Amino acid sequence: MSVQVSFTQKHKRQKKRFENFKTVVVTIAAIIFAAIFLLPTILTFTNSFMSAAEISANYGSVFATTEKGGKVFISKTVNLKFIPDMVTFNQYFTVLFKSPEYLFKFWNSVIYVGPIVVIQLLIATLASYGFARYSGKLKNAIFFAYIIMMLMPYQVTLVPNFLVSRAIGIYGTRWAIWLPGMFSPFAVYLLTKFMKRIPTEVMEAASIDGANEWYIFSRVCMPLCKGGIASIAILVFFDYWNMVEQPLILLPDADMHPLSVFLSKINAGEISLAFAVAVIYLVPPLLIFLYGEDYLVEGISYQGGIKG
């Protein structure tokens, strides 16, 4: 009996050591992958505190152009440097105070993305409630059309959007960006799937108690979808904050372009500001993600059901 007990204890110790070893290996692997993933962001942030001369010395060959405006072959190794020789805030001072064009483009991005997120969610909540609450052949046909539209890459719809915007007279205005974004099927599709996971008994119980449709929608359905709405809002914000093709096609006036387009046009004479502008551009998505991380996780894992 004592031999059997000793063998069992030895087996448990070996199993525990193996589990500890596996935990250490997984943790080290996760740290390595996280470091690789964060490397570009860290590089951008630290390089934003470099002087213009140091940035040109390290990365000038990447941005070098020929006399005709073409790119040149990089004949030497680019020096990826994480720690500046001398920390300076001149890049941020130039962007924030000496070059209002950058902040103007930043607020262009805010003006485009804010109304798109708000109106798209408003339309999505109302439409999704109808799709999830009622059934019928017409509803199924409309929802199928939403799915087809969502599966189409937005690059495919750029030409139709261009033609329609020209036809209705909004080409070259902010409405050419707002309208396609506000009526995007992405939020409707996801929120409908989210609402369909709400037990029908909950809504039927509210109806039996005498609640009307607006009460069920606003007081029963919406609180249960809070996580889904927040997660969809974050995804929609990220999508339109980084848009490039739509402004290039629908806005011929460069002064109306958002910062996402302007970042790709920084020329060789402004490479010292590229890192500082990129950091400023990253601030809103980063803050929104950090603030809404719990909602995003809840929206993915909760799936609209009733918590036990």
Side-chain angles (χ1 to χ4, degrees):
M1 180 66 68
S2 60
V3 175
Q4 184 177 2
V5 172
S6 176
F7 176 78
T8 303
Q9 292 177 348
K10 183 178 179 180
H11 177 71
K12 289 182 177 179
R13 286 195 297 269
Q14 291 177 347
K15 184 178 180 181
K16 186 176 181 180
R17 283 197 296 267
F18 176 76
E19 290 179 352
N20 292 336
F21 175 76
K22 184 170 66 174
T23 301
V24 171
V25 171
V26 172
T27 302
I28 293 175
I31 292 174
I32 293 174
F33 281 110
I36 294 174
F37 179 78
L38 293 174
L39 202 60
T41 304
I42 296 174
L43 183 68
T44 301
F45 180 76
T46 57
N47 284 195
S48 66
F49 296 102
M50 287 184 180
S51 63
E54 187 176 359
I55 291 177
S56 298
N58 293 328
Y59 309 105
S61 57
V62 177
F63 297 91
T65 58
T66 63
E67 294 180 357
K68 297 182 179 180
K71 292 296 182 180
V72 299
F73 176 74
I74 302 176
S75 58
K76 63 179 182 178
T77 303
V78 176
N79 183 25
L80 295 179
K81 196 171 184 180
F82 287 91
I83 301 176
D85 292 336
M86 182 181 65
V87 176
T88 177
F89 293 90
N90 288 338
Q91 318 304 338
Y92 289 99
F93 182 80
T94 301
V95 171
L96 295 176
F97 300 103
K98 292 185 178 180
S99 301
E101 187 176 12
Y102 293 100
L103 289 182
F104 182 74
K105 302 293 185 182
F106 176 87
W107 286 112
N108 274 348
S109 297
V110 174
I111 291 171
Y112 290 129
V113 177
I116 288 176
V117 173
V118 173
I119 302 301
Q120 186 176 150
L121 285 179
L122 179 62
I123 294 173
T125 53
L126 295 172
S128 300
Y129 178 77
F131 285 134
R133 184 88 163 96
Y134 303 102
S135 60
K137 293 183 179 180
L138 179 60
K139 186 221 65 168
N140 293 334
I142 296 175
F143 188 69
F144 180 75
Y146 265 88
I147 296 176
I148 297 298
M149 292 173 61
M150 191 191 71
L151 293 177
M152 294 174 57
Y154 63 84
Q155 291 88 348
V156 176
T157 62
L158 277 177
V159 174
N161 285 337
F162 170 79
L163 296 176
V164 171
S165 64
R166 289 285 295 267
I168 63 179
I170 63 173
Y171 174 73
T173 68
R174 300 188 190 277
W175 288 102
I177 302 296
W178 282 334
L179 286 182
M182 291 174 179
F183 293 95
S184 173
F186 174 75
V188 175
Y189 173 78
L190 290 185
L191 199 54
T192 298
K193 292 299 182 181
F194 196 95
M195 288 187 182
K196 283 185 176 180
R197 294 182 177 269
I198 299 177
T200 56
E201 293 81 2
V202 176
M203 298 183 184
E204 291 175 356
S207 299
I208 293 174
D209 290 339
N212 56 27
E213 289 297 332
W214 177 253
Y215 186 91
I216 296 174
F217 169 76
S218 60
R219 300 296 182 88
V220 178
C221 190
M222 287 297 99
L224 294 175
C225 296
K226 181 176 65 174
I229 294 173
S231 60
I232 292 172
I234 294 172
L235 295 176
V236 171
F237 177 87
F238 288 167
D239 186 22
Y240 286 93
W241 185 258
N242 297 314
M243 62 180 174
V244 175
E245 290 88 350
Q246 299 97 314
L248 286 176
I249 300 298
L250 301 174
L251 299 175
D253 186 1
D255 291 337
M256 300 182 68
H257 286 172
L259 189 57
S260 54
V261 175
F262 193 67
L263 280 175
S264 63
K265 295 183 178 181
I266 294 179
N267 55 39
E270 299 172 320
I271 60 172
S272 61
L273 303 179
F275 293 103
V277 177
V279 171
I280 295 174
Y281 182 73
L282 286 172
V283 169
L286 182 61
L287 293 178
I288 289 177
F289 175 78
L290 293 177
Y291 176 78
E293 181 181 5
D294 294 337
Y295 293 105
L296 185 61
V297 174
E298 179 186 358
I300 295 173
S301 61
Y302 178 38
Q303 291 296 313
I306 302 298
K307 294 181 180 179

